[in-house]
Amino acid sequence: MKRLLLFVMMCASISFVFAQKKGDKISKVITSEIKWWGHKVVKTKASSHYGSLKLKSGKFNFDKTVFVDGEFVIDMRSLVVADLSGDDQVKLTNELKGTNFFEVKKFPTAKFHLKKIIPLANSEYNSTIVGDITIKGIRKTISFPANAHITQFTVEIESSVFSLNRKDFRIFYQNSLKDYFIKDEMDIQFKVSTQKIDNERPL
């Protein structure tokens, strides 16, 4: 009798979990663009470098029609330097992917967990994005302005150009004077847009 009662309670619990999950939706990112800028201490066009990264995966989660959060995985191996060519481009790309900077062999991905989209009024940007970014296994909470548009399950976000302190993520030359000639702030900007998936979120 006790076993039967326990079995019934387990079944009821599982049914409750499925009921809670039913109706949850995922919108996958279908288009994305990530740009980066790095600067030397003298911030001029000649002493700055820029390039791009690719998103490995991205999605926004909804509870029925209510936005919950977003989860993004960035492919650090896709890092490209766009302002150089030839041997100079290869040299800088390899340096940025190496042990002094992003260590892409050890940390092939970075992650961003978007936790909140806070509306802004009377501003160039209509929202503040709040979330956790993880680079080289180090997680930091960040916020930045963006234009965000959510229509049912469709999401479009274009961020402002915002800065991260590279030293927060141990991105620097070890015991080298070279590091003093690089600004601590690295700049990022991204755009993402999604497509709704009509099936329920898998458990």
Side-chain angles (χ1 to χ4, degrees):
M1 185 66 183
K2 287 183 179 179
R3 289 183 179 180
L4 178 60
L5 181 59
L6 180 60
F7 176 75
V8 171
M9 291 176 66
M10 288 176 61
C11 290
S13 298
I14 292 170
S15 298
F16 177 75
V17 170
F18 272 86
Q20 289 293 97
K21 291 292 183 182
K22 189 174 178 64
D24 285 1
K25 302 290 183 180
I26 297 172
S27 285
K28 279 191 176 180
V29 173
I30 55 169
T31 62
S32 61
E33 181 181 37
I34 306 172
K35 298 178 181 178
W36 62 264
W37 293 264
H39 310 284
K40 293 184 179 177
V41 171
V42 180
K43 192 172 181 179
T44 65
K45 184 177 180 181
S47 64
S48 299
H49 294 292
Y50 61 88
S52 64
L53 288 159
K54 291 182 179 179
L55 198 66
K56 186 174 182 179
S57 64
K59 65 180 181 178
F60 293 89
N61 299 314
F62 290 83
D63 181 5
K64 296 181 180 177
T65 59
V66 179
F67 169 77
V68 176
D69 62 4
E71 300 168 17
F72 308 91
V73 178
I74 303 159
D75 184 0
M76 297 305 298
R77 295 169 296 187
S78 71
L79 187 149
V80 171
V81 177
D83 63 293
L84 297 176
S85 60
D87 291 343
D88 290 337
Q89 183 187 46
V90 172
K91 181 180 178 181
L92 182 56
T93 298
N94 289 339
E95 194 166 17
L96 291 174
K97 290 181 177 181
T99 55
N100 288 314
F101 289 90
F102 292 102
E103 295 188 79
V104 299
K105 287 185 178 180
K106 186 176 180 180
F107 303 100
T109 60
K111 296 179 181 180
F112 180 58
H113 176 204
L114 193 162
K115 298 192 292 186
K116 294 179 183 179
I117 300 177
I118 303 171
L120 286 176
N122 303 319
S123 175
E124 180 182 358
Y125 296 94
N126 67 16
S127 303
T128 295
I129 303 294
V130 180
D132 294 333
I133 191 163
T134 303
I135 302 174
K136 295 179 66 173
I138 301 169
R139 185 177 64 185
K140 298 288 182 181
T141 299
I142 62 172
S143 63
F144 50 86
N147 281 319
H149 302 282
I150 301 176
T151 306
Q152 289 186 335
F153 302 105
T154 302
V155 183
E156 294 182 355
I157 295 177
E158 180 175 356
S159 79
S160 63
V161 177
F162 62 95
S163 296
L164 299 175
N165 189 318
R166 62 188 177 89
K167 290 186 176 178
D168 286 344
F169 304 95
R170 298 187 61 80
I171 300 170
F172 51 78
Y173 284 103
Q174 301 286 338
N175 302 318
S176 175
L177 290 174
K178 289 182 180 180
D179 203 67
Y180 291 100
F181 296 97
I182 305 172
K183 288 183 70 69
D184 290 346
E185 292 76 21
M186 52 185 184
D187 295 335
I188 308 289
Q189 184 182 36
F190 70 87
K191 300 177 185 177
V192 293
S193 61
T194 68
Q195 182 179 42
K196 185 182 73 170
I197 295 178
D198 288 323
N199 61 317
E200 296 170 9
R201 180 191 300 173
L203 294 175

